[in-house]
Amino acid sequence: MEYFLQQLINGLTLGSIYGLIAIGYTMVYGIIGMINFAHGDVFMVGSMTTFIVLLMLGVTGGSGPFIIVLALALVIAISMAVAATFNWAIERVAYRPLRGSFRLAPLISAIGMSIVLQEFVRIAQEGRAKPIQPIIIGKKILMTKVVGNQDFNVTLSYMQMIIILSTLVLMTVFTFIIQRTSLGRAQRACEQDTKMASLLGINVDRTISITFILGAVLAAFAGFMFFMYYNVTDFFVGFNAGIKAFTAAVLGGIGSIPGAMLGGLLIGFIEVMWSAYFSIEYKDVAAFTILVLVLIFMPQGLLGKPEVEKI
Amino acid sequence: MSKVLLQGEGVETYYGKIQALKGIDFVVNEGEIATVIGSNGAGKSTLMMTIFGTPRARAGRIIFDGKDITQMPTHEIAHLGLAQSPEGRRIFPRMSVFENLQMGATVRNLENLEEDLPKVFKLFPRLEERRNQRAGTLSGGEQQMLAIGRAMMAKPRLLLLDEPSLGLAPIIVKLIFSAIKALNAEEGLTVLLVEQNANHALKLAHSAYVMVNGKITMSGTGAELLRRPEVRAAYLEGGH
Ligand SMILES: Nc1ncnc2c1ncn2[C@@H]1O[C@H](COP(=O)(O)OP(=O)(O)O)[C@@H](O)[C@H]1O
Ligand SMILES: [Mg+2]
């Protein structure tokens, strides 16, 4: 029971990160009907920028709490700006010119962009992994159980707490933007009928750009948290995280934002639980098996929208 | 002589290699109701969409209020004060009725929403009852009302209506046509109306065009066309 609770906390943490990345996949799919295969690498750029800026600022776990908060705020802002610039530019350069071309063209271009980002970072930052000393340390012991002559503690680290809470906050703000602001309405309008949106005066190109920027901002935040949690990153982390998040988006129902979040959490749980109770080597197999099962029995994904609209 | 608000000169539109508009000339004067009638597939909807640049005219010119809009991006055309209730209604199915109406007011940044919403609701009380319902679950007739209401929310200078009577009960059709008439007479709204329901449209229109197979074959005042035997034979008697 205690062991399970601990895995639940770990799964929630990992799932939060996957969920934030998955939203970027699902939003882009919703509005232009393509999978942005470079999105995982935009996440990687976010985590890499976090590493670079942290190193430049020279903060460590020993800096005062005020300095740390200030530095991390700056790190987040810069990572978001850099990732957003990349994703925005990718759409402008690699996808927009191919709109209206045959369906596979932007997908191939996306795979190309993924390789470009990875290679760019690999060459600019060297291929080796980038570690730091943990900055936010400490944890709360929630429960203790005596197993034999040892204690098993259920712990919630401060970093896990930060990840779960800030994901919650970010999701709330993001949902508000999509549901309640004219920007979000324009985004949803383009998703449902691009041509009609333009007839009403919506600048569709700009709305698509904003979608890429929003997705990148969430991915960059995920990248930041990923780096702060694992304290290491490299040019290739976007591949695995990207595939997991993409799986999460499909599992939740591609095109659905709550679905992406739910899918992210589920993939996080599956991966953590599988590693904890079965074999860590097969955790990816487990995640993808669930995906296949869902797609066979529920092709729309968990929260996908069945198109039952009157004509 | 009244002022020309919208004018087309030799407008040609293609879908791939198929030519849908074969050199259309037309004029819509400010403050009038103009109509284009014609049977299915004549090219009426293509004309309405070509005015908004989607699809774009391959030849000819479209001029709105003295400005050449032939190559202007679609969303910028909307910002000049043209609004369209398009063929097929194209309401946003996963938005509420209210949100659809908000979308209609995009070009004026949702200003004075509280003033204009009651006007639409007065015209279509059904929409007020369904205010928070998902638009995709409305009946066909209600969706048509929503499409027209959404276009009205833009407070346009020129309102384009593509077959507003399609799929509506006769009593609602009457309501809509009297609403168009009232908007035109009281607020001076200029209207370009496309209809298969030629009888209603011609009675209402100050000027009218007959379109056949991508070409304008006849034009005149609504009353004139209504008297022409060819028009009566083709569009009024026998099934229309
Ligand atoms: N999206 C399209 N792609 C190809 N052909 C089209 C398309 N839309 C309309 N057409 C063709 O263009 C012609 C005119 O159609 P349309 O403008 O819809 O006529 P109307 O509105 O008068 O019924 C028709 O022959 C129709 O088949
Ligand atoms: Mg038509």
Side-chain angles (χ1 to χ4, degrees), chain A residues 5-285:
Chain A
L5 199 67
Q6 182 65 62
Q7 301 316 318
L8 215 59
I9 292 172
N10 297 348
L12 199 59
T13 311
L14 187 61
S16 294
I17 293 175
Y18 287 156
L20 286 176
I21 309 173
I23 290 173
Y25 281 104
T26 231
M27 281 210 309
V28 164
Y29 182 84
I31 199 162
I32 54 174
M34 71 165 278
I35 302 297
N36 177 13
F37 282 114
H39 189 66
D41 302 290
V42 171
F43 156 83
M44 176 274 291
V45 166
S47 74
M48 197 52 96
T49 310
T50 296
F51 162 75
I52 294 170
V53 180
L54 273 178
L55 213 65
M56 277 168 26
L57 293 176
V59 273
T60 64
S63 312
F66 180 71
I67 300 284
I68 290 185
V69 169
L70 211 65
L72 292 188
L74 191 65
V75 167
I76 292 171
I78 294 175
S79 299
M80 284 177 172
V82 171
T85 308
F86 269 97
N87 216 20
W88 172 82
I90 286 172
E91 191 272 330
R92 288 301 297 262
V93 173
Y95 305 157
R96 191 174 297 182
L98 296 174
R99 232 185 275 158
S101 168
F102 67 107
R103 267 184 79 81
L104 272 180
L107 289 181
I108 295 166
S109 188
I111 292 170
M113 279 298 118
S114 168
I115 296 170
V116 166
L117 280 187
Q118 280 174 27
E119 287 303 294
F120 167 67
V121 172
R122 189 177 67 85
I123 292 165
Q125 296 297 322
E126 300 169 9
R128 67 190 162 75
K130 312 283 183 217
I132 51 157
Q133 289 299 317
I135 292 176
I136 297 178
I137 26 193
K139 57 190 173 193
K140 269 209 146 41
I141 294 176
L142 301 181
M143 229 183 262
T144 305
K145 187 187 176 191
V146 184
V147 186
N149 53 5
Q150 265 192 329
D151 287 355
F152 177 77
N153 293 328
V154 178
T155 63
L156 176 66
S157 73
Y158 291 141
M159 201 53 225
Q160 287 180 320
M161 220 183 294
I162 291 172
I163 289 177
I164 293 164
L165 286 182
S166 52
T167 299
L168 209 65
V169 170
L170 209 58
M171 283 311 301
T172 312
V173 172
F174 184 74
T175 307
F176 178 83
I177 291 176
I178 293 294
Q179 293 300 328
R180 291 274 177 273
T181 67
S182 52
L183 180 80
R185 246 190 332 273
Q187 209 273 338
R188 284 182 289 140
C190 289
E191 194 187 305
Q192 293 175 37
D193 188 338
T194 312
K195 188 182 272 191
M196 190 63 226
S198 66
L199 289 185
L200 292 172
I202 300 288
N203 185 341
V204 173
D205 281 343
R206 205 185 61 176
T207 308
I208 291 173
S209 283
I210 290 173
T211 301
F212 275 81
I213 289 172
L214 282 178
V217 161
L218 297 182
F221 194 73
F224 163 79
M225 295 192 303
F226 173 88
F227 185 68
M228 298 297 289
Y229 188 50
Y230 294 108
N231 299 303
V232 64
T233 188
D234 61 47
F235 70 97
F236 203 59
V237 292
F239 180 76
N240 197 19
I243 286 198
K244 291 287 172 47
F246 167 62
T247 306
V250 176
L251 181 63
I254 190 102
S256 155
I257 291 171
M261 205 60 228
L262 177 69
L265 287 178
L266 287 176
I267 294 288
F269 279 128
I270 293 167
E271 197 177 315
V272 165
M273 293 297 171
W274 192 276
S275 311
Y277 291 101
F278 303 102
S279 81
I280 197 158
E281 290 85 4
Y282 281 89
K283 68 183 165 65
D284 295 351
V285 176

Side-chain angles (χ1 to χ4, degrees), chain B residues 142-153:
Chain B
E142 288 163 346
Q143 290 190 5
Q144 187 63 267
M145 295 178 206
L146 182 55
I148 298 167
R150 182 179 58 185
M152 284 171 56
M153 289 302 288

Side-chain angles (χ1 to χ4, degrees), chain B residues 17-34:
Chain B
K17 286 195 177 115
I18 300 162
Q19 188 170 16
L21 298 183
K22 300 168 182 168
I24 303 281
D25 297 300
F26 66 95
V27 167
V28 181
N29 290 314
E30 185 146 48
E32 74 170 17
I33 299 175

Side-chain angles (χ1 to χ4, degrees), chain A residues 282-294:
Chain A
Y282 281 89
K283 68 183 165 65
D284 295 351
V285 176
F288 296 128
T289 305
I290 300 278
L291 172 73
V292 170
L293 289 178
V294 168

